Amino acid sequence: MKLPAFKMTDQNGNIITEEALKGKRTILYFYPRDNTPTCTTQAVDFTNHLEELRQQGIQVYGVNGDSMKKHQNFIAKHDIGFDLLVDEDYKLAKELDIYKMKKVFGKESMGIVRTTLLVGQDLQIEKRIDNVKVKNQLTELLDK
């Protein structure tokens, strides 16, 4: 499956489209909210492995519906080393069937289901992990 066309802003207001992913392999991961425990663990884990990923020619983007300001605060507070994208109205998440009904603490609501994509240089989705277990995500994603 090819990654759908998209247009989002990063935490600094720069416009990012699927064109920014062409020519590099990309980890595009969708997570529910900034500054929640599991989401923070996930972002810090990617940051801790960023140099290793870059040496393999892989770039990383985090995606959710939080605002640029929330992304800026999250990056500053936890020293996140990559850009976070604002999926306004969850447009891309809906196209990829990542935004759906989920149950959290017994309460049902619509939201992003933690999902990580490995996108090839040609924008083909090489691997998709739904309901990501943060502890094993890199191993599972890169078949280490």
Side-chain angles (χ1 to χ4, degrees), residues 114-129:
R114 191 179 311 280
T115 304
T116 302
L117 308 176
L118 181 59
V119 181
Q121 297 178 19
D122 56 358
L123 301 182
Q124 291 294 322
I125 297 172
E126 295 178 3
K127 192 168 224 178
R128 175 180 172 143
I129 304 171

Side-chain angles (χ1 to χ4, degrees), residues 9-128:
T9 55
D10 69 10
Q11 72 279 356
N12 298 315
N14 300 311
I15 303 232
I16 306 293
T17 69
E18 72 283 355
E19 293 298 314
L21 280 59
K22 276 188 178 171
K24 284 188 177 179
R25 292 176 82 204
T26 303
I27 291 172
L28 192 64
Y29 80 96
F30 293 77
Y31 64 104
R33 301 189 60 95
D34 292 341
N35 285 309
T36 58
T38 304
C39 296
T40 300
T41 298
Q42 186 176 28
V44 169
D45 187 46
F46 278 127
T47 296
N48 290 342
H49 291 92
L50 207 50
E51 190 53 43
E52 174 189 341
L53 292 167
R54 287 182 176 150
Q55 286 173 2
Q56 295 178 46
I58 300 172
Q59 62 185 352
V60 177
Y61 288 100
V63 183
N64 74 16
D66 286 344
S67 67
M68 288 188 311
K69 184 80 176 145
K70 282 186 178 179
H71 282 343
Q72 288 170 353
N73 292 340
F74 186 48
I75 288 169
K77 185 175 180 180
H78 300 287
D79 201 24
I80 305 304
F82 51 86
D83 291 328
L84 301 177
L85 306 180
V86 179
D87 189 5
E88 207 165 5
D89 301 324
Y90 302 100
K91 187 176 181 326
L92 184 59
K94 287 175 182 174
E95 284 186 63
L96 292 166
D97 195 30
I98 291 169
Y99 184 83
K100 46 183 145 185
M101 188 63 69
K102 59 185 196 170
K103 208 178 241 187
V104 180
F105 302 115
K107 186 178 167 191
E108 285 192 343
S109 64
M110 292 298 289
I112 286 181
V113 175
R114 191 179 311 280
T115 304
T116 302
L117 308 176
L118 181 59
V119 181
Q121 297 178 19
D122 56 358
L123 301 182
Q124 291 294 322
I125 297 172
E126 295 178 3
K127 192 168 224 178
R128 175 180 172 143

